[in-house]
Amino acid sequence: MRRQRQEMIAETRAKLIAAARQAFGAAGYAEASMDDFTAGAGLTRGALYHHFGDKKGLLQAVIHEIDAEMTARLNRVSAAAPNRWEGFVEECVAYIQMALEPEIQRIMFRDGPAVLGDISQWPSTNGCIAALSESLRQLKADGVIIDVDIEVAARLINGASSHAALWIANSDAAEETSRRAVDGFRALLEGLRVDRK
């Protein structure tokens, strides 16, 4: 009985998140109506309020889901690289380039900061900084990067990649902005290498 209830709760949450994600991605947070996505999920406003508190809480859940998907994609990018350094660089670049994808652009890099505030203050940022720190520690231990304060480097890389993504998402020429941001970002990362090409 308890398991059935937990499954129903998970199913209700998943339906609301899927409907909100579709609405936020298509119309944007401001234009998306709670009635539209509760009806689209076959649920009531009461279900939304019960599970997420309000529309903002639902946006946080959608962002959490997209962020987890982005992380999984970035891990695959890194794992496919021929070495740890290239994996690190390509993972960072892939994050920046994700700002070109319409759903990510609108939800993560436009509406998210507009509604939830500074992206550097989101709960997921600490996890990103921890992952960057671990990668940098490994690169330092391998003798690939210079002797640098790992936390400082991780925070600066996180900030630079986040701001590059925000710049792309809000640009009138996103493709060109992405190209420029990626070129500049690669040059910055190259400065960490012991043996620069």
Side-chain angles (χ1 to χ4, degrees), residues 3-109:
R3 183 176 178 160
Q4 285 179 329
R5 177 157 167 69
Q6 288 175 332
E7 288 171 4
M8 286 176 50
I9 289 169
E11 183 180 329
T12 298
R13 286 181 60 86
K15 283 181 181 180
L16 284 167
I17 290 171
R21 184 172 175 170
Q22 192 282 323
F24 294 154
Y29 178 84
E31 299 300 317
S33 159
M34 290 194 300
D35 290 332
D36 289 343
F37 48 74
T38 54
L43 298 165
T44 64
R45 268 189 182 222
L48 182 147
Y49 291 124
H50 174 74
H51 291 284
F52 301 102
D54 57 13
K55 186 177 171 182
K56 184 176 175 181
L58 187 52
L59 176 64
Q60 288 173 317
V62 168
I63 285 175
H64 180 77
E65 180 177 271
I66 293 171
D67 188 57
E69 292 169 7
M70 290 171 68
T71 299
R73 287 173 57 192
L74 294 170
N75 289 339
R76 288 192 298 273
V77 166
S78 181
N83 60 59
R84 195 183 315 267
W85 171 253
E86 288 182 42
F88 179 74
V89 172
E90 293 309 313
E91 181 178 340
C92 291
V93 166
Y95 174 83
I96 293 168
Q97 291 173 329
M98 285 180 183
L100 291 170
E101 298 175 28
E103 180 186 57
I104 290 172
Q105 184 179 93
R106 181 181 291 250
I107 296 172
M108 298 296 290
F109 298 120

Side-chain angles (χ1 to χ4, degrees), residues 63 70 92-122 125 157-178 181-182 185:
I63 285 175
M70 290 171 68
C92 291
V93 166
Y95 174 83
I96 293 168
Q97 291 173 329
M98 285 180 183
L100 291 170
E101 298 175 28
E103 180 186 57
I104 290 172
Q105 184 179 93
R106 181 181 291 250
I107 296 172
M108 298 296 290
F109 298 120
R110 285 187 187 160
D111 289 347
V115 176
L116 304 176
D118 181 1
I119 197 169
S120 70
Q121 301 301 308
W122 292 4
T125 299
I157 291 166
N158 178 266
S161 61
S162 295
H163 284 284
L166 290 166
W167 179 35
I168 294 163
N170 291 288
S171 173
D172 291 333
E175 291 284 342
E176 173 63 16
T177 302
S178 177
V182 166
F185 193 79

Side-chain angles (χ1 to χ4, degrees), residues 129 132-133 136 148-159 192:
I129 291 169
L132 285 167
S133 295
L136 290 166
V148 63
D149 183 311
I150 296 298
E151 181 185 4
V152 170
R155 288 183 180 279
L156 291 173
I157 291 166
N158 178 266
L192 288 173

